[in-house]
Amino acid sequence: PPKLIRRSAVIANPGIEIPPGEARHQETAYVTFPADATLYTVFPHAHYRGENAQFFLQKPGQKEEMILSLPKYDFNWQRGYEFAKPISLPAGTKLITRYEYDNSKNNPANPDPSITVKWGEQSHEEMQYTAFGFRWNEETVENRKPEYQKGLEDSRIMGMMDVNIDGKVAKDEVRGRMAQLLIANWDKVDANKDGFLTPDEMGSINQMMTGRINEAQNQQSIGQ
């Protein structure tokens, strides 16, 4: 029987919002690994307005390093990518995704360049969705680490709002479906009243939003 456990997770950004007619609109999202891990695969997913995508690692104390680039994304030709050599991720590493979308009339696949496009499961809507396969280096079948997995999943909410990747979220970074709810409850979440949300203040938001992301993940799996 196997001794090691291979995990999977997603980076999802339900906050995406693509203005009408914009040809190069970028959205950013990331997760942070709370423990040492090894990365094996990445599977990018967008819809008809997906133009290109890039994937980076930011290891603690280091600059960003590109690990995969898709210069021309095609909704009809989706691929998963397995790294020739698995990538070592020390604790604290961010896996960063940057997608660009073409919502202009020059995109022949664009269903409607006149509308603001938001997250949705239908192909005429959009997604910034990245599945990836990895393992926790310390985890074995006999020594499972569910707390590591929870820490990774909790980091998704910060990673989908923290546009400038500075480890905190300002009000002007919050957008999309969750904006109205979060802004309305900002003073309750911002415990230290410094005007920013930090990872240690995200408990209640993580609980609420992780359920929604997991639901979207399940719907995406059914659709593949």
Side-chain angles (χ1 to χ4, degrees):
K3 296 181 180 179
L4 303 179
I5 299 174
R6 180 155 164 168
R7 297 272 193 172
S8 63
V10 301
I11 303 173
N13 182 6
I16 59 176
E17 193 168 291
I18 308 168
E22 190 162 327
R24 288 292 183 273
H25 176 80
Q26 187 179 99
E27 292 280 355
T28 301
Y30 67 83
V31 292
T32 304
F33 288 80
D36 295 348
T38 300
L39 180 66
Y40 296 103
T41 61
V42 169
F43 184 95
H45 176 75
H47 292 167
Y48 288 126
R49 295 172 178 87
E51 174 67 21
N52 61 69
Q54 295 179 327
F55 304 84
F56 302 82
L57 296 179
Q58 187 177 49
K59 298 178 181 180
Q62 298 184 26
K63 296 181 179 179
E64 289 184 15
E65 167 195 1
M66 183 187 291
I67 58 172
L68 177 65
S69 177
L70 279 67
K72 184 60 180 175
Y73 177 83
D74 188 337
F75 179 69
N76 299 300
W77 194 253
Q78 299 182 50
R79 285 288 184 269
Y81 297 86
E82 182 173 357
F83 299 104
K85 182 180 179 180
I87 301 174
S88 177
L89 308 178
T93 297
K94 289 180 171 61
L95 174 55
I96 303 167
T97 69
R98 292 189 174 95
Y99 285 40
E100 280 194 338
Y101 301 86
D102 185 354
N103 192 25
S104 74
K105 62 182 181 181
N106 295 322
N107 175 3
N110 191 350
D112 186 352
S114 69
I115 64 171
T116 297
V117 183
K118 298 184 179 182
W119 172 279
E121 285 75 36
Q122 301 303 314
S123 298
H124 63 267
E125 299 169 309
E126 262 306 338
M127 283 189 172
Q128 183 184 11
Y129 178 102
T130 306
F132 56 97
F134 68 101
R135 74 177 179 90
W136 301 112
N137 292 353
E138 297 179 11
E139 186 173 53
T140 65
V141 171
E142 296 181 351
N143 182 29
R144 295 175 182 265
K145 299 292 185 180
E147 67 274 19
Y148 292 170
Q149 195 73 10
K150 184 179 185 303
L152 178 74
E153 292 173 354
D154 283 350
S155 77
R156 293 186 300 196
I157 313 304
M158 174 64 65
M160 76 185 209
M161 295 189 293
D162 180 18
V163 177
N164 60 7
I165 316 180
D166 64 353
K168 58 186 180 182
V169 176
K171 282 186 178 182
D172 61 5
E173 291 181 294
V174 182
R175 62 213 186 282
R177 289 184 171 185
M178 67 183 304
Q180 183 176 359
L181 176 63
L182 186 53
I183 296 299
N185 291 278
W186 189 272
D187 291 339
K188 297 178 182 178
V189 181
D190 181 18
N192 62 7
K193 309 303 179 186
D194 66 349
F196 298 94
L197 302 185
T198 53
D200 59 306
E201 295 173 323
M202 294 294 292
S204 58
I205 300 298
N206 283 337
Q207 185 176 4
M208 176 182 62
M209 291 302 300
T210 295
R212 295 186 180 183
I213 291 177
N214 287 337
E215 180 181 354
Q217 179 180 353
N218 292 335
Q219 291 173 337
Q220 172 61 21
S221 299
I222 292 171
Q224 287 177 349

